[in-house]
Amino acid sequence: MAQLLVFSGSNHSKSINKQLGKYASSVIKETETNSVEINEIELESFQAPIFSIDLEGKSGVPESIKKLREVFLKADGFMFTTPEHNGSLPAFLKNIFDWISRVDDGSIFNDKPVMIISTSPGGRGGAGVIAHLELSLIHI
């Protein structure tokens, strides 16, 4: 059975993107197929200080990020939602990606399928963050 890891790039407790992720997960769960196991995680459980090379050199990669890396390695695919902050991804999510890319070979998604979903009350509805992520995720 394939495992789909679902998370939100928002650390806002009432995030509409978290709600969207839960809805999308529920739709997948309601399908007739039992070939996908949904694993929903809260990225806030894997807190890390703001990334810096100096901090990494002094303290190493935080244990929470090493644990998150293990969760990512077990997944067969990913679905995540993210808000758009000033046309790009939230600092919270960028920080998680910066840290996790420092573990092992630097790959975050390991050439596994990734689905990105965004919603926003703004006029572009999250199009900016999706475009930004499409360009940047090919590097990680």
Side-chain angles (χ1 to χ4, degrees):
M1 181 180 303
Q3 185 185 96
L4 180 66
L5 185 63
V6 179
F7 60 92
S8 175
S10 175
N11 59 354
H12 185 285
S13 62
K14 295 183 183 352
S15 167
I16 59 175
N17 278 280
K18 282 185 179 181
Q19 293 172 32
L20 177 62
K22 289 188 183 306
Y23 173 74
S25 292
S26 74
V27 170
I28 293 170
K29 288 176 188 174
E30 289 174 6
T31 62
E32 293 182 21
T33 179
N34 290 327
S35 61
V36 177
E37 175 186 333
I38 307 293
N39 181 14
E40 295 180 60
I41 63 168
E42 296 283 335
L43 280 187
E44 297 93 317
S45 301
F46 302 93
Q47 285 287 331
I50 297 295
F51 176 78
S52 85
I53 296 290
D54 292 337
L55 181 59
E56 181 187 23
K58 182 179 178 181
S59 305
V61 175
E63 288 302 314
S64 61
I65 297 298
K66 291 177 185 175
K67 289 177 184 172
L68 179 61
R69 172 74 172 158
E70 291 302 315
V71 172
F72 272 51
L73 287 173
K74 292 176 186 171
D76 296 305
F78 304 86
M79 179 176 70
F80 70 93
T81 61
T82 184
E84 182 174 302
H85 289 185
N86 297 316
S88 188
L89 64 161
F92 166 74
L93 181 60
K94 173 78 166 78
N95 190 56
I96 294 287
F97 285 171
D98 286 345
W99 274 114
I100 202 170
S101 71
R102 303 300 289 183
V103 181
D104 299 330
D105 65 356
S107 177
I108 294 177
F109 299 110
N110 299 299
D111 296 322
K112 298 173 185 175
V114 178
M115 174 188 264
I116 308 163
I117 306 171
S118 182
T119 188
S120 169
R124 298 190 62 225
V129 70
I130 297 291
H132 182 98
L133 283 165
E134 285 176 341
L135 293 174
S136 64
L137 288 183
I138 60 172
H139 301 287
I140 57 174

